Amino acid sequence: MEPKAKILVVEDEQNIQSALADFLEYHGFEALIAIDGLEAERIVSEQSFDLILLDLMLPKISGEQLCTKWRREGLQTPILMLTAKGLEKERIAGLNLGADDYITKPFSLEELLARINAVLRRTDPARGVGQKFLFGDLEIDAASLIARRAGHEIPISKREAEIIQYLAANPNRVISRDELYKQVWHDTMTDLGTRTTDMHIAKLRSKIELDSEQPQIIKTVRGAGYKYEC
Ligand code: CA
């Protein structure tokens, strides 16, 4: 089963906080609440989220400052900004905060849910390549777990398909073992996790590389992780 998407709600108004958390949990998300900008900053430095719902007007550190800071630091978590009525579209766009979307208060919960799902769909990198795609000189069918090269069919496991999908969606970027493990096994990294990742990559290479000693599709970046170049 897919793990629940984890959402951080950064909101200082108590009635909105609890309504949002209840609503999100009811719809199958895991929700955490931060009551001001400072707490949000601490929580985000300690754990990762699939989405941040960020109120613009917050005590201590404003949503605007937080968003700008996070983006400057390279945080890629999608951010859906909650803005007060009266801040016009143009103004929000003009703020250029690096948020993925925004929704104006008061909003209906149905509208919020639709926005959340849209942002999650748009930003989940593993979904970016779809089920059928090219990977190196292979044609990958992730739904039927088949890789094809020059008419030959190579069966792949579900994990292997997920690894390929993630690498294909993130070309020319070094993917650390931690990142890959988190994406494919949905777990935090351990020593065993490191070995599991390496073993799967080795197995995958033996299937898809012409020479697994000299991999051309999934490259190793020493001390950093793996990279798919295209
Ligand atoms: Ca507020």
Side-chain angles (χ1 to χ4, degrees):
M1 204 181 87
E2 279 284 296
K4 291 180 175 182
K6 198 169 149 194
I7 299 180
L8 178 66
V9 178
V10 189
E11 171 60 75
D12 58 308
E13 285 159 73
Q14 272 184 11
N15 56 336
I16 302 183
Q17 275 168 19
S18 48
L20 282 181
D22 287 353
F23 178 76
L24 292 173
E25 275 163 14
Y26 177 79
H27 286 279
F29 299 102
E30 186 186 337
L32 229 83
I33 293 173
I35 58 161
D36 60 45
L38 209 56
E39 190 177 63
E41 190 179 31
R42 180 182 58 77
I43 292 174
V44 168
S45 72
E46 290 168 354
Q47 45 185 307
S48 64
F49 292 88
D50 297 296
L51 181 91
I52 299 171
L53 278 184
L54 182 62
D55 186 25
L56 194 63
M57 308 294 180
L58 288 168
K60 298 186 182 168
I61 306 176
S62 75
E64 181 179 351
Q65 285 171 297
L66 267 181
C67 191
T68 308
K69 173 180 177 290
W70 282 334
R71 289 299 186 241
R72 204 173 43 224
E73 291 171 355
L75 183 83
Q76 292 184 5
T77 311
I79 295 174
L80 180 52
M81 197 73 105
L82 309 177
T83 68
K85 206 175 160 186
L87 279 176
E88 299 304 324
K89 236 183 189 175
E90 295 71 26
R91 164 110 197 263
I92 303 297
L95 290 174
N96 195 17
L97 304 170
D100 295 83
D101 200 358
Y102 65 91
I103 186 166
T104 309
K105 290 177 180 177
F107 47 80
S108 75
L109 291 174
E110 287 67 31
E111 187 187 357
L112 178 69
L113 185 64
R115 294 289 187 91
I116 288 173
N117 284 325
V119 170
L120 287 175
R121 266 199 308 275
R122 204 163 64 223
T123 53
D124 183 344
R127 287 177 200 160
V129 294
Q131 296 286 303
K132 279 191 180 170
F133 54 94
L134 290 172
F135 185 65
D137 58 352
L138 299 158
E139 202 182 284
I140 303 290
D141 186 341
S144 56
L145 302 177
I146 297 281
R148 286 186 192 86
R149 175 190 278 126
H152 284 282
E153 293 201 340
I154 310 157
I156 50 174
S157 71
K158 187 159 185 302
R159 294 272 195 226
E160 288 164 352
E162 286 177 32
I163 292 171
I164 291 173
Q165 252 175 321
Y166 193 66
L167 290 169
N170 294 274
N172 305 315
R173 179 165 83 76
V174 180
I175 312 283
S176 70
R177 289 178 176 81
D178 287 37
E179 183 180 341
L180 195 58
Y181 191 71
K182 182 171 181 281
Q183 181 66 33
V184 176
W185 281 269
H186 308 294
D187 208 349
T188 33
M189 195 53 139
T190 57
D191 286 348
L192 185 62
T194 309
R195 285 203 297 280
T196 303
T197 311
D198 289 345
M199 276 166 53
H200 274 77
I201 292 285
K203 183 83 189 291
L204 187 56
R205 278 174 172 160
S206 75
K207 292 184 181 182
I208 67 170
E209 297 281 357
L210 292 172
D211 176 1
S212 53
E213 298 298 310
Q214 304 280 332
Q216 297 303 309
I217 303 175
I218 303 174
K219 305 234 168 118
T220 297
V221 182
R222 280 187 67 164
Y226 297 106
K227 186 156 84 166
Y228 166 54
E229 285 175 4
C230 68

